[in-house]
Amino acid sequence: LSAWRIIVAMLGGALNASFLIAGGLTIKFGGPGGSLVAYVIAVIVLYMATTSLMEVASRMPDDMPYYMYGRQIFGRAVGTALAWCYWLLWIVILVYEIVAGGFIMAFWLPDVDRALWCVLLLIACVIIVVLDSRLYSVVECTLTLIIICALVTSIIVGALIAAGKLGDHKYGLETWHSDGGPFVGGVLGVIGASIFANFAVQGAEVGAIMALKSPSRRSRRLVPLGICGAFAILLWSSTFVTGLVLPQSDPWFDKESFDSADGSTFTYIFEKAEIHPASHVVNAILLLSALFDACIALYISATILQDLAARRLAPKGLQNPTNGRKLSPYSMGVCCILSLGIWALTFIRVESAVALMAGVIGTSGFITWGAIALMHCIMRWSKKHSHSVDNSSSTTLSPYEIYKAPLFPLGPLFCLAHEIAVIAG
């Protein structure tokens, strides 16, 4: 893929419900200053994790998927556990998205049972994944461009509101000097905001694998800078502007649910500007984001399970019977059944179940970034691993040119320390 296509794909994976909703939660926990610091750190750590993964991947066997790298570096037991943990992460993401879809539909039809929408959303995911991946690719690019346009528009509208050009009040920097100042909760507030900030950008490091397959050295350098630069421009400016017009004392923070357009800062900004139909547009974007995020989760989880079966780490019957690249119906069926089983837990207490799933997703993402940083350090500093992966006479090694992360050892060490601090906090 071209560098531009990779950057768009990674933006599409992050600028979705996780940011449209989490943007307000970062301000709720960290205040306007704490939320901005959280997003700044998240983008910096993303760059370090991406470049570390690029170097690790460039030294790994070409036929080894990235979730199996730990098996070669940490050993069979730890590596296999990390692979299964990564598979479970995508299963939980699938359940989280279909549950979110039920909440989103309740925005329009509150009297219809959310369980119906969850089942229909899962069926739609299976149909889309089975039909044609090219259709998904086109819709993903279109949806990404729509979200970027909506985000840029909200930044402009929010800036006009803060300057007093729209609405009946000029905010300026008053939210930074009231309600406890810019940093609500101090260090713990920043850590709380970091959980949601990292959640918004996690997964974008996978663009590193795509970048290595590009024959152009320029693309390999451009992709990590392009991904993180785009996130920096969009996320930092959006968070700063939102923090200017959303004071901590605003009744908006009293909402019990942040799972639909009512809990999105996009809706808040547009309603401040008296653009009232915006809530329906935002909700439609959230629904499409949830649907296609669920498609990604279903496809990746089924593919991982199929690959684990081929490597004799899962029941052999889950392999594709044709031994081709097509998705095995057995692996997809197992993922759907398991996701429905986890989804059934939401009937006990949906708020606690959703919070637990969000915690599992966030913590698993931190573990993934921390594992990447640790693998990078071991690969550079261990003579055993350095010799084995740099032996160019081996025909199993990746044919890609060895990539050197520009910020070693500061990058992976900072990334590892950040993940440990956030998980501990």
Side-chain angles (χ1 to χ4, degrees):
L1 299 176
S2 66
W4 164 248
R5 178 67 183 87
I6 295 172
I7 293 172
V8 170
M10 295 304 101
L11 286 175
L15 293 178
N16 48 30
S18 59
F19 175 68
L20 299 181
I21 297 299
L25 293 176
T26 57
I27 297 175
K28 179 179 181 179
F29 282 93
S35 62
L36 185 59
V37 169
Y39 275 110
V40 169
I41 295 176
V43 173
I44 293 173
V45 174
L46 171 63
Y47 177 78
M48 294 174 176
T50 301
T51 53
S52 291
L53 181 58
M54 287 182 71
E55 179 166 345
V56 172
S58 69
R59 297 167 180 261
M60 284 287 112
D62 186 34
D63 64 343
M64 181 178 289
Y66 57 91
Y67 53 84
M68 296 297 295
Y69 292 164
R71 201 168 148 84
Q72 181 159 329
I73 296 177
F74 297 132
R76 287 188 174 184
V78 175
T80 302
L82 285 173
W84 276 104
C85 182
Y86 189 71
W87 170 77
L88 184 61
L89 164 66
W90 285 103
I91 290 290
V92 177
I93 291 176
L94 172 60
V95 181
Y96 183 88
E97 295 296 346
I98 62 175
V99 171
F103 278 109
I104 292 168
M105 286 303 302
F107 176 82
W108 287 308
L109 301 170
D111 297 329
V112 180
D113 194 341
R114 288 197 300 266
L116 174 63
W117 303 123
C118 293
V119 172
L120 292 177
L121 190 65
L122 181 60
I123 294 173
C125 289
V126 174
I127 294 173
I128 292 173
V129 170
V130 170
L131 281 182
D132 192 351
S133 60
R134 289 175 296 179
L135 172 63
Y136 170 77
S137 180
V138 172
V139 176
E140 179 195 31
C141 287
T142 304
L143 179 61
T144 301
L145 293 176
I146 291 173
I147 293 176
I148 291 175
C149 290
L151 182 56
V152 172
T153 303
S154 72
I155 293 171
I156 296 173
V157 172
L160 292 175
I161 294 174
K165 303 300 181 181
L166 287 177
D168 55 359
H169 182 73
K170 182 179 179 179
Y171 287 91
L173 293 174
E174 68 178 32
T175 58
W176 286 63
H177 303 290
S178 61
D179 302 324
F183 297 96
V184 177
V187 175
L188 287 180
V190 174
I191 290 177
S194 293
I195 294 174
F196 298 101
N198 279 39
F199 187 40
V201 300
Q202 281 172 354
E205 72 278 359
V206 178
I209 309 296
M210 302 180 188
L212 285 175
K213 297 182 179 181
S214 172
S216 169
R217 290 187 181 182
R218 181 173 175 270
S219 293
R220 288 193 287 270
R221 293 193 302 267
L222 179 62
V223 166
L225 289 174
I227 292 174
C228 296
F231 278 134
I233 294 172
L234 294 173
L235 300 186
W236 297 353
S237 56
S238 176
T239 303
F240 176 70
V241 169
T242 303
L244 293 179
V245 300
L246 184 57
Q248 287 288 313
S249 58
D250 195 284
W252 184 83
F253 286 114
D254 296 332
K255 297 178 184 295
E256 295 182 358
S257 174
F258 285 84
D259 293 294
S260 68
D262 282 337
S264 172
T265 54
F266 280 56
T267 302
Y268 178 87
I269 289 176
F270 287 132
E271 288 184 349
K272 276 280 186 179
E274 299 184 353
I275 308 175
H276 299 295
S279 59
H280 296 279
V281 176
V282 171
N283 209 59
I285 293 175
L286 289 174
L287 182 61
L288 288 175
S289 296
L291 173 62
F292 287 98
D293 284 351
C295 290
I296 292 176
L298 176 60
Y299 180 83
I300 292 180
S301 59
T303 302
I304 292 174
L305 189 58
Q306 181 175 309
D307 179 71
L308 291 174
R311 297 175 186 275
R312 299 183 179 180
L313 299 175
K316 187 177 179 181
L318 297 176
Q319 286 182 260
N320 189 348
T322 61
N323 294 323
R325 285 184 171 272
K326 294 184 67 175
L327 204 58
S328 166
Y330 306 117
S331 61
M332 184 183 295
V334 168
C335 291
C336 289
I337 292 173
L338 183 59
S339 64
L340 288 174
I342 299 176
W343 170 66
L345 297 176
T346 62
F347 287 101
I348 301 175
R349 189 174 178 183
V350 65
E351 293 84 2
S352 299
V354 170
L356 180 61
M357 286 188 288
V360 169
I361 294 169
T363 306
S364 299
F366 300 146
I367 291 173
T368 299
W369 279 8
I372 290 171
L374 189 56
M375 284 190 288
H376 188 192
C377 292
I378 292 175
M379 184 166 284
R380 278 282 193 103
W381 287 335
S382 170
K383 292 183 179 180
K384 173 186 174 182
H385 289 94
S386 177
H387 174 74
S388 65
V389 298
D390 287 336
N391 183 7
S392 58
S393 62
S394 174
T395 58
T396 63
L397 291 181
S398 170
Y400 312 130
E401 178 183 349
I402 298 297
Y403 176 88
K404 289 292 186 73
L407 296 176
F408 185 88
L410 178 62
L413 289 178
F414 179 81
C415 179
L416 184 60
H418 175 262
E419 303 318 314
I420 292 174
V422 173
I423 291 175

